[in-house]
Amino acid sequence: MTRSGVQSAADATEDAPDERASPGVERPVLQVATKAEAVYLETRARILTGTLLPGLQVNQEALAGSLGVSITPLREALRRLEMEGLARLEAHRSVIIAPLTGRELDELYVIRMELDALAAGLAAAKASGTQVSLIGEFARRKAVKDPLAQLERNRAFHRAIYASCENAALIAYLDQLWDRTDRYRFILVKQELLGGPASTQDHIDIADAVAARNAERAALLTRNHIARSRKSIADIINARSAREPAP
């Protein structure tokens, strides 16, 4: 299921089928089950892409107007985004877009380094032949030009590994971490699409280790992959901060 945004939240209907288009270069309008879901997807996409800047205070009524919806589905969407750590609801109908911080990046990624590695090791031991093939297929997919669609492809690869570890509690924790770290990962995806070092070979190496049933190597490669991603994201954030004028 894609988590990229919609072009107009007001396009959603209450009885639309819950079918999502496959990620591609062009992002079509998504068909969603409820208007609140459409508002959630669009607002989340605006946060991920920086249309709603980190630290920005937004009036909820103004945001609802820009989405073409009433305040009710927006507040439902904002509560979900608050649970993901992407926004904070304030009194007087305002919302604060969560800032990007090096501390949060470190806290989230140090957990991911261990849990992703655990999932990869378990997948190497437990994945079915079909699951191994799917992991390999996702690892070798070519990048697409749309950063949000590419972010989904990255998630699909890692989610295929999670789904193969046969540990529901671990999968739930990792899904929560993905929701919290998407904004940071989006920074790296955009940089890679502009010609920075890509994650493709890391994914292929991890997939090959899973296919070889080498749990120790799959875990090690995954831990190193997450560590490199964290460092790359931190470098990008620090470079941006250095370019910003002092207050």
Side-chain angles (χ1 to χ4, degrees):
M1 180 176 70
T2 184
R3 304 192 54 135
S4 51
V6 293
Q7 293 177 346
S8 173
D11 288 337
T13 58
E14 294 299 323
D15 57 354
D18 188 14
E19 295 177 356
R20 312 294 168 85
S22 298
V25 175
E26 299 295 333
R27 287 187 287 122
V29 174
L30 299 178
Q31 298 300 311
V32 292
T34 66
K35 186 172 291 187
E37 176 75 2
V39 173
Y40 162 76
L41 290 169
E42 175 62 17
T43 307
R44 193 175 196 275
R46 292 185 184 189
I47 293 173
L48 289 179
T49 59
T51 303
L52 293 173
L53 292 170
L56 182 69
Q57 181 171 337
V58 184
N59 178 272
Q60 291 184 38
E61 292 181 350
L63 181 56
S66 75
L67 293 165
V69 298
S70 68
I71 199 72
T72 300
L74 176 62
R75 286 191 65 83
E76 183 177 333
L78 290 175
R79 282 193 290 269
R80 290 178 63 183
L81 293 168
E82 187 172 38
M83 291 178 64
E84 294 179 15
L86 297 180
R88 184 175 73 250
L89 292 171
E90 298 282 317
H92 309 298
R93 296 202 170 209
S94 65
V95 59
I96 305 294
I97 308 304
L100 295 169
T101 68
R103 178 175 179 175
E104 182 183 49
L105 173 67
D106 288 342
E107 288 177 349
L108 294 173
Y109 268 71
V110 74
I111 301 171
R112 274 205 62 204
M113 283 172 59
E114 300 306 319
L115 296 190
D116 272 71
L118 175 59
L122 290 172
K126 298 174 178 289
S128 67
T130 299
Q131 289 172 323
V132 167
S133 296
L134 186 63
I135 292 168
E137 176 186 335
F138 284 168
R140 290 169 171 82
R141 286 198 295 185
K142 291 183 178 180
V144 293
K145 294 180 181 179
D146 181 350
L148 279 173
Q150 185 59 29
L151 185 70
E152 285 304 319
R153 291 195 168 202
N154 186 291
R155 182 168 186 146
F157 167 73
H158 286 278
R159 194 58 172 73
I161 292 176
Y162 302 163
S164 305
C165 77
E166 296 187 6
N167 187 312
L170 179 57
I171 293 170
Y173 285 129
L174 284 165
D175 280 343
Q176 291 174 14
L177 281 172
W178 269 88
D179 289 339
R180 291 286 303 276
T181 56
D182 259 350
R183 284 193 307 162
Y184 293 98
R185 195 175 304 102
F186 185 78
I187 294 172
L188 183 57
V189 167
K190 286 204 302 183
Q191 185 69 22
E192 291 179 348
L193 292 178
L194 291 173
S199 301
T200 305
Q201 190 58 52
D202 279 1
H203 288 179
I204 292 173
D205 291 343
I206 294 167
D208 288 348
V210 171
R213 304 298 183 181
N214 190 331
E216 183 176 352
R217 178 169 171 76
L220 176 62
L221 290 171
T222 300
R223 186 177 291 108
N224 292 341
H225 169 60
I226 302 300
R228 279 192 293 271
S229 295
R230 188 212 62 79
K231 183 180 184 306
S232 296
I233 295 167
D235 289 345
I236 295 169
I237 292 176
N238 291 336
R240 287 181 179 178
S241 298
R243 292 195 299 267
E244 293 176 355

